[in-house]
């Protein structure tokens, strides 16, 4: 801690006793989530009418970490000191959590000194809008909650086997064929085996067309930016592209498999992927990614890369020709080849690629960011692509291991009315997550942070989505903000129970805190 901050804490300690890294108190401990790094409560209250954030006076201090802030609430005024606008914004979010309504339009805030900054720069919330679509209003309400809990990356999964959600200029067929399913797995079928033979489990109900126009996307990007959230769009390639192939079957190795011109109707992984021997197919993806770079101003674009079967490539003359021409050895060389291609394509547009951990397999530039989801389970080549291994090799990594961060896994609640894909990720399990676990000391700087992932095969609507996301995202937000300094599950649970009441009062279908 620098000298300025030491003085700051010492001067206020006159009226309070420092109890732990995160909390100190003279009065009641405020119910903040995420907990601030340092908090000292004083005597008395600041009282005002109207919006308490209008009462804050701002100063800047270059010594404060990025996104960090100092917040002083005294009887005679509120002061915020930060280095950047994000820090100022988070100070006000903290202030909003501290404010208590009094009377008709009065507000009171306990006198307090807070010194706060994040452990990780990537604090993510992921949403799959391809299996099920939620729409702009739900996305905006998620962004509002992300801001409240100081989450700053909205990873938007917009293209998949089961749905394509982007109206890309010049490619009208994408939404005509890719954004509507003539049927989906029946609600309650458990779980789909992922094979086309599951047709008997289909509901026969048309789903869509559901998609976003360029104007919609720009509206969401702007809404997020106002909340210091970067939208990270995901364009899956070379696998999970079946909905795009329904629109343009000529970009598949076997166009005849796409004769029905419909997205994949059951869940699971599709074997028909992008034909990497077809220059036109690659040009199509380039045009999509180029447009995405223009619509989304952030510095990273997610290019998927997970779960790409290679069986079509093995038998495709065009793909075999590409392997020969590029000296790729065999079909295993194709995915690293296309990854290198898009890492460079993005770099030429001033962006970095991020992708699921499989895409780091092979000779991939170190500028490519990994998103680790499979942990250290065994499997061919897996040891090479675990998040820790990627960080050790020099890649930046976002940790989102499924056994801590997948919010479509069961949360272990008694009598839970909602359906999950399987697994078990309890609230306590989320809270116990350490993004740097198993990462060698000298590679820890490569761990950018973590993310909660909301896959939606078994999530049908916003109520279902909210139940699965909250309160588990509260736990993850504290992990991403405080890292090793988090105060402990028992402490968190008390604050989470209070915060759940706030969420429920504000119409969020938050699951119980258990
Ligand atoms: C994933 O869950 N397939 C990234
Ligand atoms: Zn092919």
């Amino acid at each position: 801690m620098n000298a300025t901050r030491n003085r700051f804490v010492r001067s206020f300690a006159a009226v309070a006793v420092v109890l732990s890294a995160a909390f100190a108190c003279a009065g009641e401990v405020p119910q903040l989530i995420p907990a601030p790094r340092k908090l000292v409560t004083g005597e008395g209250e600041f009282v005002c009418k109207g919006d308490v954030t209008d009462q804050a006076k701002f100063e800047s201090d270059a010594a404060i970490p990025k996104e960090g802030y100092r917040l002083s609430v005294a009887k005679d005024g509120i002061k915020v000191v930060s280095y950047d606008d994000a820090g100022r914004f988070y100070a006000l979010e903290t202030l909003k959590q501290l404010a208590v309504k009094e009377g008709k339009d009065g507000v009171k805030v306990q006198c307090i000194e807070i010194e706060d900054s994040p452990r990780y720069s990537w604090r993510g919330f992921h949403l799959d809008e391809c299996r099920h679509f939620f729409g702009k209003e739900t996305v905006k309400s998620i962004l509002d909650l992300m801001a409240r809990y100081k989450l700053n990356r909205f990873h938007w999964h917009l293209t998949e086997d089961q749905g394509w959600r982007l109206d890309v200029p010049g490619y009208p067929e994408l939404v005509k064929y890719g954004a509507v399913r003539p049927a989906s797995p029946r609600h309650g079928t458990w779980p789909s085996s992922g094979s086309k033979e599951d047709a008997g489990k289909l509901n026969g109900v048309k789903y869509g067309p559901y998609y976003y126009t360029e104007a919609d996307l720009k509206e969401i990007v702007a809404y997020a930016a106002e909340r210091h959230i970067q939208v990270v769009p995901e364009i899956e390639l070379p696998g999970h592209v079946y909905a795009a192939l329904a629109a343009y079957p000529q970009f598949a190795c076997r166009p005849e498999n796409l004769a029905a011109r419909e997205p994949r109707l059951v869940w699971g992984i599709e074997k028909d992927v992008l034909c990497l021997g077809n220059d036109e197919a690659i040009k199509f993806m380039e045009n999509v990614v180029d447009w995405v770079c223009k619509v989304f101003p952030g510095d990273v674009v997610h290019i998927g890369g997970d779960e790409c079967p290679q069986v079509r490539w093995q038998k495709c003359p065009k793909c075999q020709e590409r392997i020969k021409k590029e000296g790729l050895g065999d079909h295993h060389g194709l995915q690293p080849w296309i990854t290198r291609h898009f890492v460079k394509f993005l770099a030429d547009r001033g962006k970095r690629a991020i992708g699921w951990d499989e895409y780091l397999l092979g000779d991939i530039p170190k500028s490519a960011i990994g998103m680790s989801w499979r942990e250290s389970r065994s499997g061919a080549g897996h040891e090479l692509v675990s998040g820790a291994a990627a960080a050790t090799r020099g890649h930046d990594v976002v940790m989102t291991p499924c056994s801590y961060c997948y919010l479509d896994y069961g949360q272990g609640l008694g009598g839970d009315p909602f359906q999950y894909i399987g697994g078990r990720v309890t609230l306590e399990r989320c809270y116990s997550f350490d993004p740097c676990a198993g990462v060698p000391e000298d590679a820890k700087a490569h761990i950018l942070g973590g993310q909660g992932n909301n896959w939606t095969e078994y999530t049908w609507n916003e109520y279902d989505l909210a139940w699965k996301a909250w309160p588990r995202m509260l736990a993850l937000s504290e992990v991403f903000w405080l890292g090793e300094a988090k105060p402990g599950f028992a402490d968190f649970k008390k604050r989470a129970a209070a915060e759940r009441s706030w969420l429920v009062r504000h119409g969020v279908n938050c699951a119980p805190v258990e």
Side-chain angles (χ1 to χ4, degrees), residues 121-126 146 150-155 371 398 400 407 449-454 473 476-477 480:
S121 61
W122 187 298
R123 305 181 299 278
F125 185 112
H126 154 287
M146 286 179 67
K150 302 182 174 72
L151 298 162
N152 66 354
R153 293 289 184 280
F154 179 60
H155 173 174
M371 184 166 269
V398 175
T400 179
L407 305 180
Q451 184 172 280
N453 287 351
N454 296 277
M473 265 323 293
L476 290 175
S477 76
F480 303 152

Side-chain angles (χ1 to χ4, degrees), residues 193-214:
S193 72
S195 75
K196 286 186 179 146
E197 293 70 59
D198 271 352
K201 293 180 182 170
L202 294 178
N203 61 8
V205 178
K206 183 174 160 197
Y207 190 76
Y210 295 125
Y211 61 89
Y212 290 110
T213 64
E214 187 169 316

Side-chain angles (χ1 to χ4, degrees), residues 238 245 250-253 273-279 281-282 313 316 318-319 322:
L245 299 180
Q250 66 270 32
F251 301 150
C253 296
V273 301
L274 200 67
C275 176
L276 296 187
N278 182 341
D279 289 341
I282 292 166
W313 298 342
C316 171
K318 285 186 190 153
C319 286
R322 177 81 70 199

